[in-house]
Amino acid sequence: MGHAPAGDDGNFDERLKRARQKLDPRSGEFAVTDEGNDDSSMSSLGLAIRVGTDLVAGLAVGVAIGYALGHWFGYRALFLSVFALAGCGAGMLNVWRVLKDSDMVSGPKDDGRSQRGSRIDD
């Protein structure tokens, strides 16, 4: 199908290594890593979908539990409103955990400095 380039350029791996060196000379030895499905490497679209899903799921579960308990005990408005608020809070807590793990929320670094570089205790 394909043909080898003219000249004695060596095998494909050596040519690929030289091409990668030309593209990014600071990289040194190019290593491809397979990180799997780690939360820290989550794409922006995946993060947005997960955040939306967590919010909707928390609210839906809270409303469902509130509706069922309200129907069973006869205080539908009370249980529905209380468990809807609890579900909304649980959804926001899940979103906070996801954003905190993906380094989207800025906080103090290990050296006790904020993002701007000033000490927190100053």
Side-chain angles (χ1 to χ4, degrees):
M1 289 240 148
H3 64 283
D8 189 22
D9 287 337
N11 65 7
F12 177 74
D13 292 330
E14 292 172 6
R15 288 182 296 167
L16 181 63
K17 187 175 178 181
R18 282 195 310 262
R20 286 182 176 158
Q21 282 291 333
K22 285 182 184 178
L23 290 176
D24 191 12
R26 292 173 285 145
S27 68
E29 189 66 31
F30 188 83
V32 177
T33 59
D34 184 23
E35 296 179 3
N37 290 334
D38 190 16
D39 282 342
S40 64
S41 66
M42 190 181 304
S43 69
S44 297
L45 178 63
L47 186 66
I49 290 172
R50 177 153 183 208
V51 164
T53 303
D54 282 345
L55 281 174
V56 170
L59 185 61
V61 168
V63 167
I65 292 172
Y67 183 79
L69 288 176
H71 185 69
W72 191 25
F73 289 119
Y75 296 105
R76 185 169 297 168
L78 176 69
F79 281 111
L80 190 61
S81 60
V82 167
F83 279 94
L85 288 174
C88 186
M92 288 184 189
L93 183 63
N94 286 338
V95 167
W96 177 258
R97 288 178 184 159
V98 168
L99 292 179
K100 190 173 78 172
D101 288 343
S102 66
D103 295 331
M104 295 290 286
V105 178
S106 63
K109 296 178 182 171
D110 290 339
D111 61 354
R113 296 183 182 273
S114 66
Q115 268 189 330
R116 294 185 182 189
S118 61
R119 302 270 320 159
I120 293 174
D121 54 351
D122 290 20

